[in-house]
């Protein structure tokens, strides 16, 4: 599904990632750990085509990213839902329109999709908040809205960058349960996080693979996790 073979990424002449090899199989659940600045977000951006490797081979859904044009990358990215760390929304639009933005941009908005939006907002516990503006939402509501927006196009893969970084433990567990449920529905999950307690909680619910970025490379996480 997503495969990196000896991938490196440099910015401004500095090597941020080097010699990375990773296979993300359909239906798998991965955690990515490492200290702040280690390159977790950079690796996620590589995985959804926002960045291209400096060297090595990166394939997404069987296609070599280096050979894809802009439109091809955009089509591949429709199969990948991304929950960004900063949860950016358009503050002047009500929540339901923010969540539906990927549908609007892709030209897929329809009455049927409107029904799907209602069901999705119910699933993440945001019914009654349809007309709320983003500044009116709590941190947990914003994170659930970000997850809903990532799911609106029914992607095959969910990439989440520190999805529980700004919420309390109870809300982080709720978000984790949603992600575990998605995985049990067949979605592929990759979560970048520094929260070791979250990883331990997940390991009791679902089969996971935990990786760590250290010295610009990927290694298997230690037994302490």
């Amino acid at each position: 599904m997503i495969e990196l073979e000896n991938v490196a990424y440099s910015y401004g002449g500095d090597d941020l990632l080097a010699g990375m090899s990773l296979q993300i199989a359909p239906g798998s659940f991965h955690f990515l750990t490492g200290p702040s600045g280690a390159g977790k977000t950079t690796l996620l951006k590589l995985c959804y085509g926002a960045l291209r490797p400096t060297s090595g081979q990166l394939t997404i859904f069987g296609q070599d990213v280096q050979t894809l044009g802009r439109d091809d990358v955009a089509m591949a990215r429709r199969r990948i839902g991304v929950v960004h760390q900063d949860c950016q929304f358009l503050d002047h639009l009500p929540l339901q329109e923010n969540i539906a933005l990927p549908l609007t941009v892709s030209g897929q908005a329809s009455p049927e999709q409107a029904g799907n939006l209602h069901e999705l907002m119910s699933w993440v516990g945001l019914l009654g908040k349809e007309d709320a503006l983003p500044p009116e939402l709590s941190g947990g509501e914003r994170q659930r809205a970000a997850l809903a927006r990532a799911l609106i196009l029914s992607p095959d893969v969910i990439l989440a960058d520190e999805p529980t970084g700004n919420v309390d433990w109870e809300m982080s567990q709720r978000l984790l349960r949603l992600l575990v449920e998605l995985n049990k529905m067949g979605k592929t999950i990759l979560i970048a996080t520094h929260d070791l307690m979250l990883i331990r909680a997940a390991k009791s619910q679902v089969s996971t693979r935990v990786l760590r970025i250290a010295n610009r490379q990927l290694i298997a996480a230690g037994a302490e996790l």
Side-chain angles (χ1 to χ4, degrees), residues 48-215:
Y48 66 86
L51 297 175
R52 300 198 185 203
T54 305
S55 62
Q57 186 175 46
L58 168 61
T59 57
I60 299 177
F61 305 118
Q63 298 178 294
D64 187 340
V65 169
Q66 299 287 33
T67 68
L68 297 180
R70 181 178 299 178
D71 291 343
D72 296 322
V73 171
M75 289 299 295
R77 288 177 66 179
R78 290 185 184 182
R79 298 176 62 185
I80 302 174
V82 183
V83 181
H84 296 281
Q85 186 174 3
D86 51 7
C87 293
Q88 290 185 351
F89 297 99
L90 297 180
D91 287 349
H92 66 286
L93 292 182
L95 181 59
Q96 60 184 345
E97 292 187 32
N98 268 285
I99 292 174
L101 272 177
L103 288 175
T104 305
V105 172
S106 64
Q108 298 183 44
S110 67
E112 179 183 357
Q113 292 291 359
N116 293 342
L117 174 62
H118 183 272
E119 182 178 350
L120 181 57
M121 292 188 70
S122 174
W123 186 72
V124 298
L126 288 174
L127 282 186
K129 295 288 184 177
E130 294 88 345
D131 296 323
L133 296 176
E136 300 169 356
L137 302 176
S138 68
E141 288 168 342
R142 290 175 69 87
Q143 291 286 18
R144 282 180 280 147
L147 179 58
R149 184 173 59 186
L151 294 172
I152 194 67
L153 292 178
S154 299
D156 300 307
V157 181
I158 307 297
L159 305 179
D161 191 1
E162 300 284 3
T164 62
N166 297 313
V167 298
D168 60 26
W169 176 246
E170 182 178 352
M171 182 54 64
S172 72
Q173 290 303 289
R174 181 170 184 174
L175 289 165
L176 176 61
R177 286 193 294 271
L178 291 174
L179 289 164
V180 168
E181 186 173 342
L182 285 167
N183 181 247
K184 291 179 177 179
M185 293 165 59
K187 304 295 185 183
T188 304
I189 310 291
L190 172 60
I191 302 174
T193 184
H194 66 279
D195 188 345
L196 301 187
M197 292 181 63
L198 181 75
I199 296 174
R200 295 186 188 109
K203 289 167 75 70
S204 68
Q205 301 177 49
V206 67
S207 176
T208 65
R209 184 184 182 196
V210 184
L211 299 169
R212 179 178 176 83
I213 298 181
N215 298 321

